[in-house]
Amino acid sequence: MPPPKALACTFPEEHLRLALRAKSPSERLAQAEAGLRFFASEAPLEQSSIGQIAAPREDGLELSVDTKMLLLRQAYLAHVELHQLRRAADIADEMIATGNDLVDIALHDKARALQALADMPGAIEAQRLAARRAPAKRRSFHLWSLATLLHFSGDAEGAISALRRGLRASTRDRALLKAHLAYVQLERREAVEDLAGVMEELAGSPNREGYGRFLMGMIAWELGDPPRAAVHLSAFLRRNAAIDEAKRLTLREELRRARLVLAKIESC
């Protein structure tokens, strides 16, 4: 019987390549763990944590921080796909501990896992840290992600504040942030400045067919236009019908809200 691929590689980077190309979460996890233990001591994997299996050997060989971070993220994604969310959150902590330049992404990943575990205070705190530690090019994304967590947890004022800070830092995603701000304001029965312009900008943006559909649908619903809401929310659900588990985790509340509104429209 031929040896498993996980045992046949010469370098951890090969395991990373195989993890990225894996056809199943169990294969992804096996490749990630094999890469992480490449420079480990002889201790059996089941007796070690992910952090321990990445320890340097006596011969001085060390796993590069970047490779370790990427292998850990593949392990995180595998645990998410396997619905092992507590383990995924623990792996995110291991990612954060590497000190890699992608620490903001690791914090965002932790926030996603904690949100799915119904630990909203923990998720919000992790996302706040992600926004704080993000480079300028990713700050608006993390502030927007923070705003969605605050919005969906009932803190509309906090969401509005985060969105306005995100707008000051944004470039490519301004249309989405403006529309999400309008959505929160409409839910609070507040007037939205130049709503027509906000909608026109979103409709003309590259993000129209992604998250933009959700925002256009929810705004139409808040404005009392069920037919238009149904068109956009149905398109949003179709687009996300076959997404992977990590993205489904990220969009769980949006998918729930879209289905809820469509159910209300269909019952009328």
Side-chain angles (χ1 to χ4, degrees), residues 21 50 59 65 84 86-87 90 97 119 140 152 212 226 239:
R21 297 172 58 184
I50 290 290
D59 57 16
V65 171
Q84 298 166 349
R86 174 51 60 188
R87 188 67 182 122
D90 291 341
D119 180 1
S140 65
F152 297 149
R239 185 180 180 88

Side-chain angles (χ1 to χ4, degrees), residues 12 18 26 28-29 33 75 82 86 89 116 118 167 170 179 184 187-188 193 198 201 205 228 236 246 250 258:
L18 290 170
S26 57
R28 186 188 308 280
L29 183 59
E33 289 181 339
L82 293 166
R86 174 51 60 188
L167 278 167
S170 69
V184 179
E187 270 198 337
R188 285 163 58 90
E193 183 179 351
V198 170
E201 184 176 349
S205 78
R228 187 177 295 274
F236 174 70
T250 301

Side-chain angles (χ1 to χ4, degrees), residues 8 31 47 50 63 70 93 104 109 121-122 125 131 152 168-169 174 186 209 232 248 261:
Q31 293 295 344
Q47 297 178 9
I50 290 290
L63 192 61
L70 294 173
D93 280 329
D104 59 300
D109 285 340
E125 178 58 25
F152 297 149
R168 290 195 291 270
R174 288 184 64 81
L186 288 168
E209 296 303 324
H232 291 305
R248 192 182 307 281
V261 168

